[in-house]
Amino acid sequence: MEHAAAVTPAWAMFAYLVAGVLFILSLRGLSSPESSQQGNRYGMIGMAIAVATTLVLHQVGLPLILAAIAIGGGIGYYIAQNIKMTAMPELVAGFHSLVGMAAVLVGCAAYLNPAAFGILDTVTNEIHSVSRVEMGLGVAIGAITFSGSVIAFLKLSGRMGGNPIMLPGRHIINLGLLAAILGLVAFFVTDQSAWVFWTITALSFIIGFLLIIPIGGADMPVVISMLNSYSGWAAAAMGFTLGNTAMIITGALVGSSGAILSYIMCKAMNRSFISVIAGGFGDAGGATAAKGGAIQKAYKAGSAEDAAFIMQNAESVIIVPGYGMAVSQAQHALREMGDLLKKEGVSVKYAIHPVAGRMPGHMNVLLAEANVPYDEVFELEDINNDFAQADVAFVIGANDVTNPAAKTDKTSPIYGMPVLDVEKAKTVLFVKRSMGGVGYAGVDNEVFYMDNTMMLLADAKKMVETIVKNLGH
């Protein structure tokens, strides 16, 4: 391979090594809220080094590159300044789609002009065999990432229903398409005909759609993590095509870390990791349940004054945030409520479910934004036993992750998913906009109707702000 055989200067290899180390430190930093800002800085410095090194190594039209960076950077800055925290999940899905499409475009460019990429055998005037494998896999993974991310974006943004869409014989169709793609990649090694390359690309776009369509809303956080992994592997494959060490390292790190996170989240949800990769989350029971809507039963309604009185006289309060908190942007008011309760001598903790919200770490990000102390925030496995001793469980917009049906109803689409045992607290204060809706998984929550539950029906932010006013009296 000419592009692989080309000698890279020692200083460039060292620069790429430094960038790779910084990327590893970045991932390590992002594993904890306390070190996340430092992790972001490491990542930005590493990427700056990798980009600068690549620009120096290759003869490129610098004005065009700088113009592209300015345009992309300007768009990114604008989005970062204006994006709402509630829209972060679909934004992440959208960014994943761009990474996937970038891999496809690089692969197409390499196929159409292999000499420019140094992958053309000048003797046979054909693309190197190994390069064809890299190109075929990179384009396939990139196309799957793009089309799958588009569906995830549409579901998360509400432009498409969150319910699973079950196509008849979908598993056979998916397996057939996957086998066809792998077979064509293998055939591409012996025959670089245009029809082979473009068929691989087209089939990969199709299977990306088909893999994500049957996945329901409750499982979307895992989908986001999975697509993140796919985007990394697509970038790594294109790194081989381009002969770029930094791209290979970065893609491999993103791909492997995304795969590990997906595996951890699957364990947290009691899902099969293979099922995620195969797009097999959705099932007929989930689809049916989602259509049923909420079941109207007798429930006990309360007011902000009632909630303030109960929590003020409690010894311990566990706050459970969910997507409802994100929608209303109630995290700052929630932190103020927690601070007032602590002044009254009440023990305050926050319980985070690994898939609360619409993406991994969604609630952690919101609480960190509101400057909630990190030592008050606990993951499910660290706090679930505390609910039985808690005086109050204050649930704000978290439906599916507190639903006992996951433990008792085998027909439920969330059955088997570990949930927060809020119903074991002496009193459950459940903030919900109305009784007419259900969670993203489309399942009613029996906690609403329990004797120890008081429903606080209002916009989450307005409810918490009113509770804060009553606590301040």
Side-chain angles (χ1 to χ4, degrees):
M1 288 172 54
E2 292 182 14
H3 71 294
V7 178
T8 303
W11 68 267
M13 294 300 295
F14 179 75
Y16 284 145
L17 177 62
V18 171
V21 171
L22 288 170
F23 292 146
I24 294 172
L25 291 174
S26 175
L27 288 174
R28 179 180 175 83
L30 292 173
S31 65
S32 169
E34 294 95 331
S35 57
S36 58
Q37 289 187 345
Q38 186 63 53
N40 270 321
R41 294 191 190 99
Y42 282 139
M44 289 187 289
I45 294 170
M47 185 56 69
I49 292 173
V51 170
T53 302
T54 302
L55 291 178
V56 172
L57 276 179
H58 298 278
Q59 298 295 324
V60 296
L62 197 57
L64 288 176
I65 293 294
L66 293 177
I69 292 174
I71 294 172
I75 295 173
Y77 179 80
Y78 175 80
I79 292 175
Q81 290 294 315
N82 293 278
I83 191 71
K84 295 179 180 179
M85 288 304 298
T86 51
M88 283 299 292
E90 56 259 40
L91 177 67
V92 171
F95 282 169
H96 287 161
S97 74
L98 296 179
V99 175
M101 181 53 75
V104 173
L105 293 176
V106 169
C108 292
Y111 176 74
L112 294 173
N113 190 6
F117 288 78
I119 59 175
L120 185 67
D121 188 326
T122 55
V123 177
T124 62
N125 201 35
E126 291 185 340
I127 300 172
H128 292 289
S129 298
V130 175
S131 297
R132 294 186 213 174
V133 175
E134 299 163 357
M135 189 187 305
L137 291 176
V139 167
I141 299 172
I144 292 171
T145 303
F146 172 78
S147 53
S149 297
V150 168
I151 295 297
F153 171 83
L154 293 174
K155 288 195 172 192
L156 290 166
S157 62
R159 292 173 173 84
M160 176 184 287
N163 297 341
I165 299 175
M166 304 300 168
L167 298 176
R170 67 187 185 281
H171 294 305
I172 296 175
I173 294 172
N174 290 344
L175 286 173
L177 285 173
L178 181 60
I181 291 169
L182 293 176
L184 285 169
V185 170
F187 184 64
F188 188 51
V189 176
T190 60
D191 186 345
Q192 65 176 47
S193 298
W195 75 267
V196 181
F197 178 81
W198 297 116
T199 303
I200 292 172
T201 306
L203 292 180
S204 299
F205 278 124
I206 292 170
I207 197 174
F209 285 115
L210 296 178
L211 286 174
I212 306 303
I213 281 177
I215 297 178
D219 298 318
M220 289 309 292
V222 184
V223 173
I224 294 293
S225 176
M226 178 184 69
L227 291 171
N228 178 58
S229 178
Y230 287 176
S231 68
W233 295 123
M238 287 300 104
F240 281 105
T241 299
L242 295 172
N244 188 290
T245 305
M247 198 169 177
I248 296 170
I249 294 173
T250 307
L253 287 172
V254 172
S256 56
S257 61
I260 292 170
L261 178 59
S262 298
Y263 177 73
I264 292 172
M265 294 183 71
C266 284
K267 288 189 66 177
M269 297 176 69
N270 195 32
R271 306 297 200 196
S272 164
F273 183 65
I274 301 301
S275 156
V276 182
I277 298 174
F281 261 163
D283 55 51
T288 303
K291 295 176 183 176
I295 302 171
Q296 293 300 318
K297 303 176 185 176
Y299 63 91
K300 181 166 55 180
S303 65
E305 292 79 6
D306 297 328
F309 178 80
I310 292 171
M311 288 191 287
Q312 209 165 18
N313 290 280
E315 291 185 5
S316 62
V317 174
I318 299 178
I319 299 172
V320 181
Y323 190 63
M325 181 193 77
V327 169
S328 64
Q329 289 289 281
Q331 62 268 26
H332 296 281
L334 193 66
R335 190 217 62 212
E336 187 177 357
M337 184 187 83
D339 290 344
L340 289 174
L341 288 173
K342 285 186 287 186
K343 287 181 180 179
E344 296 286 338
V346 180
S347 169
V348 177
K349 297 178 181 178
Y350 296 80
I352 306 295
H353 193 281
V355 295
R358 296 292 184 269
M359 69 177 184
H362 199 180
M363 296 302 106
N364 301 79
V365 171
L366 292 173
L367 294 179
E369 181 195 23
N371 295 318
V372 171
Y374 298 134
D375 59 358
E376 295 178 5
V377 180
F378 297 87
E379 301 295 330
L380 178 146
E381 62 271 14
D382 298 322
I383 199 171
N384 224 14
N385 292 331
D386 294 358
F387 282 105
Q389 288 78 44
D391 292 313
V392 178
F394 185 85
V395 185
I396 176 168
N399 189 348
D400 299 327
V401 298
T402 62
N403 195 335
K407 298 178 287 185
T408 60
D409 185 2
K410 292 185 178 181
T411 65
S412 172
I414 62 172
Y415 180 73
M417 182 178 79
V419 293
L420 292 161
D421 297 329
V422 298
E423 75 279 4
K424 294 182 179 179
K426 293 178 182 177
T427 301
V428 180
L429 300 175
F430 211 116
V431 182
K432 195 173 185 294
R433 183 176 291 275
S434 71
M435 295 300 293
V438 291
Y440 202 50
V443 185
D444 200 27
N445 192 338
E446 61 189 74
V447 173
F448 301 159
Y449 316 108
M450 292 182 174
D451 293 336
N452 62 331
T453 298
M454 178 180 291
M455 299 300 300
L456 306 175
L457 302 178
D459 173 80
K461 185 177 182 180
K462 291 180 180 178
M463 174 57 70
V464 177
E465 287 176 342
T466 308
I467 292 174
V468 167
K469 290 179 182 177
N470 282 275
L471 288 173
H473 290 165

